[in-house]
Amino acid sequence: GAVVSQHPSRVICKSGTSVKIECRSLDFQATTMFWYRQFPKQSLMLMATSNEGSKATYEQGVEKDKFLINHASLTLSTLTVTSAHPEDSSFYICSASAGSYEQYFGPGTRLTVT
Amino acid sequence: AQTVTQSQPEMSVQEAETVTLSCTYDTSESDYYLFWYKQPPSRQMILVIRQEAYKQQNATENRFSVNFQKAAKSFSLKISDSQLGDAAMYFCAYIGGSQGNLIFGKGTKLSVKP
């Protein structure tokens, strides 16, 4: 149980385009979803927290107009990187919580912007 | 603010031997949870072990055990009978009882020598 999927696992896009990453909780209802960014050989950095039906809460320094987060249902959250640039290339990981302290992680999405 | 510190960027252990990874944290909360996550080359975050702060007994999961010293705010991970598959990045993480955000340490890269 407690499986979280992410799609796509890898994506390459051109500079200036937008890309959407999906995060789904497959066997539970996720009241809260989290989006992290991880640079090579570094730890996870929390970008934003989203609650179903509410606006996401962004961490300091994260541009909310660039990283659009939508949590329209209890099983789906999306992260859209708008007008992507090479510096947005990174590994993006989502996690989901059913309301307790436990978070379940997706397998991550590797974004490369050319 | 809560912080998590992993002072060992890299560690190495011989197969079948025992290794201990260090983690300290700082918090003023009395209710919290601590975790060790493993991130293999696939980059999927895998929960290794969790510890509730209110429990005095150290958590154990097969070959993995923790030494939880609440007064010293220390939470080390011991891996016994190390296996090649244990090679990975290990992250120590904290979550307070009153907030939903995981706080990660910088990680320790564990190598296992055959």
Side-chain angles (χ1 to χ4, degrees):
Chain A
V3 179
V4 175
S5 70
Q6 271 184 253
H7 178 80
S9 58
R10 293 173 180 261
V11 59
I12 301 173
C13 70
K14 292 187 176 180
S15 187
T17 62
S18 296
V19 60
K20 180 185 288 187
I21 303 170
E22 292 186 349
C23 177
R24 294 181 185 273
S25 56
L26 299 184
D27 51 3
F28 67 100
Q29 293 188 324
T31 54
T32 306
M33 286 186 167
F34 304 85
W35 286 95
Y36 297 87
R37 184 173 180 176
Q38 186 180 32
F39 291 105
K41 300 184 180 180
Q42 293 190 22
S43 188
L44 281 69
M45 180 188 77
L46 180 66
M47 297 175 67
T49 303
S50 72
N51 293 294
E52 186 264 338
S54 302
K55 288 184 178 180
T57 301
Y58 291 81
E59 295 299 299
Q60 192 173 8
V62 178
E63 299 175 59
K64 62 180 181 180
D65 294 330
K66 181 168 189 60
F67 298 100
L68 300 178
I69 292 172
N70 183 275
H71 191 168
S73 76
L74 284 171
T75 59
L76 174 64
S77 176
T78 59
L79 167 67
T80 301
V81 183
T82 63
S83 186
H85 290 285
E87 57 265 31
D88 299 325
S89 298
S90 191
F91 193 69
Y92 294 87
I93 305 175
C94 74
S95 71
S97 168
S100 71
Y101 62 88
E102 193 83 50
Q103 289 185 27
Y104 304 96
F105 287 86
T109 296
R110 182 180 300 280
L111 169 64
T112 303
V113 183
T114 61
Chain B
Q2 294 84 4
T3 59
V4 176
T5 302
Q6 292 180 250
S7 58
Q8 306 154 317
E10 295 187 19
M11 289 285 284
S12 180
V13 63
Q14 203 72 32
E15 194 176 7
E17 296 295 309
T18 296
V19 64
T20 298
L21 308 185
S22 301
C23 173
T24 60
Y25 59 95
D26 190 22
T27 183
S28 58
E29 295 182 292
S30 57
D31 180 27
Y32 54 88
Y33 305 86
L34 296 163
F35 307 86
W36 278 98
Y37 286 94
K38 170 185 178 182
Q39 189 180 41
S42 68
R43 304 189 78 169
Q44 168 76 60
M45 295 291 283
I46 301 168
L47 177 65
V48 175
I49 200 165
R50 71 170 70 82
Q51 175 81 43
E52 293 86 347
Y54 64 84
K55 290 186 177 179
Q56 291 186 339
Q57 187 171 8
N58 289 324
T60 299
E61 289 287 343
N62 300 314
R63 298 183 294 107
F64 300 88
S65 61
V66 298
N67 183 1
F68 175 46
Q69 301 290 326
K70 191 172 184 178
K73 297 179 181 175
S74 171
F75 182 61
S76 60
L77 174 70
K78 186 172 81 171
I79 305 175
S80 303
D81 185 25
S82 297
Q83 300 175 0
L84 295 177
D86 295 334
M89 282 291 290
Y90 286 82
F91 293 100
C92 178
Y94 164 103
I95 190 168
S98 61
Q99 64 146 15
N101 296 343
L102 271 173
I103 299 170
F104 287 93
K106 291 187 175 183
T108 297
K109 182 179 180 180
L110 177 66
S111 302
V112 181
K113 298 179 180 178

